[in-house]
């Protein structure tokens, strides 16, 4: 008799309910050993929750960092376009599945499992898109979607009797009723949100990510991690061949600490020296910052200190701003103002939207 416990399924666990249910189906109803992969990048992933999920859900979960590959995917412009904002869902899924295929081969697992539901999202979960994802990830017969499997062709694991097709589901459409009922049956009390909380679906984050993509030569994961660490200000190139200058100003203590932590060896760090105020990071972009831009960055840093601004308005007194460049420290005297020359400004969603629209869209 077939001992199913010897067989393993690799599950893509996003942190949303559908992938969690899929893992539980494979583990509890199909009796397979389950290895969950949780993908992490600057845009998605909750590695800080893995310990908690392991304990609460009794699952073996491995984090997989795909930050650099995802940055490359964005830089190369996704083949299948974007969803509602800047989310390249089809290419993203193909990328994750290719990584999961490596783990499947390494561990001898019989299939890869995802939580997709036919018709749940307008395009990325349409039948033809599901087929494109399977085809481009080169997983014919190996990709199992337990929540909607009854609507899809049987996989090899089903044909070989390792997975009982009769115990798989035929969910479709946008209703969450079936998933809620299944969650109750598995005794899942913490119901996560349907999606995993991808920042590329949020306009507020996407506008800054797009600016990074547009104005950074060979953007890396670290360039995108900085998006969450403060206000994003850009001085756009005036002359052809000049690179844009990016200044990130912390909005609170958490941002300030993140900027200190994320600063690269050639980045500039600014902080008010004689009054409370933010930390700001001037990103190295392949050339040294000109003196005018350094002074503008010091002024902008000081302009986000309420006390520095009040003192300047009352007495005209400038603010001491400490600039750190590697091991060197320089004390600058800056007027706390925002109308600097050269000018720095935020990249707006309207700016980004037009650019993104001109790329092909995939819908998500
Ligand atoms: S929303 Fe799309 S791009 Fe974001 S993680 Fe999900 S599949 Fe990937």
């Amino acid at each position: 008799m077939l001992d199913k416990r010897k067989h393993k399924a690799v599950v893509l666990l996003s942190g949303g309910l559908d992938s969690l249910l899929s893992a539980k189906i494979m583990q509890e109803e199909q009796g397979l050993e389950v290895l969950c992969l949780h993908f992490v990048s600057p845009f998605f992933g909750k590695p800080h929750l893995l310990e908690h999920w392991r304990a609460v859900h009794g699952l073996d979960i491995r984090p997989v960092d795909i930050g650099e590959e995802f940055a490359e995917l964005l830089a190369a412009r996704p083949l299948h376009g974007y969803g509602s904002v800047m989310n390249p869902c089809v290419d993203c899924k193909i990328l994750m599945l290719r990584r999961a295929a490596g783990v499947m081969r390494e561990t001898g697992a019989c299939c890869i499992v995802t939580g997709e539901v036919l018709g749940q999202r307008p395009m990325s979960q349409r039948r033809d898109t599901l087929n494109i994802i399977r085809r481009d990830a080169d997983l014919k017969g190996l990709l199992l979607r337990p929540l909607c499997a009854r609507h899809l062709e049987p996989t090899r694991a089903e044909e070989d009797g390792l997975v009982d097709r009769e115990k798989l589901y035929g969910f479709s459409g946008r209703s969450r009723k079936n998933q809620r009922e299944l969650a109750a049956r598995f005794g899942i009390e913490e119901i996560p949100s349907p999606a995993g909380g991808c920042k590329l679906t949020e306009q507020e984050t996407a506008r800054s990510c797009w600016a990074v993509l547009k104005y950074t030569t060979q953007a890396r994961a670290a360039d995108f991690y900085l998006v969450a660490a403060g206000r994003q200000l850009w001085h756009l190139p005036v002359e052809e061949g000049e690179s844009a200058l990016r200044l990130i100003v912390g909005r609170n203590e958490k941002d300030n600490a993140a900027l200190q932590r994320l600063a690269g060896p050639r980045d500039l760090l600014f902080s008010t020296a004689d009054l409370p105020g933010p930390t700001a990071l001037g990103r190295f972009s392949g050339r040294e910052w000109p003196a005018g831009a350094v002074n503008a960055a010091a002024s902008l840093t000081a302009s986000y200190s309420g006390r520095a601004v009040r003192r300047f308005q009352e007495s005209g007194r400038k603010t001491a701003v400490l600039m750190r460049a590697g091991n060197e420290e320089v004390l600058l005297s800056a007027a706390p103002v925002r109308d600097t020359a050269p000018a720095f400004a935020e990249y707006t969603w309207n700016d980004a939207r037009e650019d993104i629209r001109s790329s092909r869209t995939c819908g998500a």
Side-chain angles (χ1 to χ4, degrees):
M1 184 166 151
L2 195 62
D3 184 359
K4 286 196 185 184
R5 283 164 309 172
K6 286 199 184 130
H7 293 276
K8 195 177 282 208
V10 172
V11 180
L12 270 58
L13 190 84
S14 68
L17 179 59
D18 293 350
S19 61
L20 173 59
L21 289 173
S22 300
K24 296 305 275 182
I25 291 168
M26 300 312 289
Q27 187 184 50
E28 295 192 11
E29 297 187 333
Q30 295 289 343
L32 266 69
E33 192 186 325
V34 162
L35 170 62
C36 298
L37 304 182
H38 181 68
F39 288 93
V40 179
S41 80
F43 316 102
F44 49 79
K46 296 178 178 150
H48 57 288
L49 290 180
L50 294 195
E51 218 32 72
H52 174 69
W53 290 342
R54 286 183 192 117
V56 174
H57 303 306
L59 293 167
D60 180 5
I61 312 173
R62 188 192 288 184
V64 182
D65 187 341
I66 51 163
E68 292 304 345
E69 286 147 284
F70 207 92
E72 278 170 29
L73 184 162
L74 290 175
R77 301 296 186 263
L79 199 64
H80 298 282
Y82 303 97
S84 52
V85 183
M86 192 187 152
N87 40 316
C89 292
V90 176
D91 292 81
C92 168
K93 286 177 179 175
I94 293 167
L95 172 65
M96 290 181 187
L97 287 168
R98 285 186 180 152
R99 283 293 292 268
V103 177
M104 180 180 68
R105 283 191 290 273
E106 203 181 282
T107 57
C110 64
C111 58
I112 295 178
V113 172
T114 62
E116 288 146 318
V117 171
L118 195 64
Q120 184 161 275
R121 294 181 196 276
M123 283 178 77
S124 70
Q125 297 192 7
R126 269 180 7 196
R127 185 182 292 275
D128 54 346
T129 316
L130 292 184
N131 287 339
I132 288 171
I133 292 170
R134 188 189 58 189
R135 182 199 68 198
D136 289 5
D138 200 13
L139 286 174
K140 191 160 171 49
L142 294 169
L143 183 53
L144 181 63
R145 287 132 167 164
L147 294 177
C148 63
R150 301 286 287 273
H151 296 295
L152 306 172
E153 280 171 38
T155 55
R156 216 175 287 163
E158 291 161 75
E159 285 166 354
D160 292 347
L162 299 174
V163 169
D164 182 352
R165 187 169 173 85
E166 295 302 308
K167 290 187 186 164
L168 296 173
Y169 294 83
F171 299 170
S172 64
R174 300 178 76 88
S175 165
R176 312 284 303 154
K177 187 167 163 279
N178 288 325
Q179 283 92 321
R180 278 197 299 273
E181 283 172 8
L182 196 53
R185 242 185 32 234
F186 285 128
I188 298 172
E189 287 171 3
E190 284 177 29
I191 305 283
S193 59
C198 172
K199 294 195 180 82
L200 291 172
T201 60
E202 299 163 6
Q203 294 178 3
E204 183 54 29
T205 310
R207 71 189 170 103
S208 299
C209 290
W210 190 263
V212 171
L213 209 52
K214 189 165 174 178
Y215 297 116
T216 309
T217 322
Q218 290 177 332
R220 311 275 317 258
D223 295 303
F224 291 106
Y225 274 113
L226 282 168
V227 166
R231 284 180 193 87
Q232 311 286 314
L233 303 173
W234 293 87
H235 167 60
L236 300 184
V238 184
E239 309 258 331
E240 206 178 322
E242 238 185 27
S243 47
L245 299 176
R246 179 186 183 193
L247 183 73
I248 304 136
V249 185
R251 293 155 299 194
N252 48 44
E253 287 306 314
K254 192 170 157 241
D255 281 353
N256 295 345
L259 290 172
Q260 301 271 357
R261 195 179 65 247
L262 294 168
R266 303 191 72 180
D267 292 341
L268 306 176
L269 274 173
F270 300 88
S271 53
T272 47
D274 60 347
L275 288 173
T279 295
L281 185 150
R283 192 71 164 153
F284 179 73
S285 57
R287 65 172 174 134
E288 300 301 328
W289 277 47
V294 166
N295 290 331
S299 280
L300 283 162
T301 306
S303 81
Y304 287 95
S305 160
R307 283 179 59 187
V309 172
R310 274 195 301 282
R311 188 175 68 182
F312 185 66
Q313 286 166 347
E314 285 162 10
S315 66
R317 207 171 132 199
K318 290 185 173 179
T319 301
V321 174
L322 185 70
M323 182 186 78
R324 254 197 309 126
N327 293 328
E328 278 183 37
E329 290 190 345
V330 181
L331 207 53
L332 303 162
S333 176
V337 293
R338 296 194 189 162
D339 57 338
T340 57
F344 280 77
E346 291 195 75
Y347 197 70
T348 69
W349 169 241
N350 279 342
D351 295 330
R353 183 173 50 195
E354 289 314 309
D355 286 346
I356 296 171
R357 269 194 187 155
S358 61
S359 302
R360 282 164 54 199
T361 54
C362 66

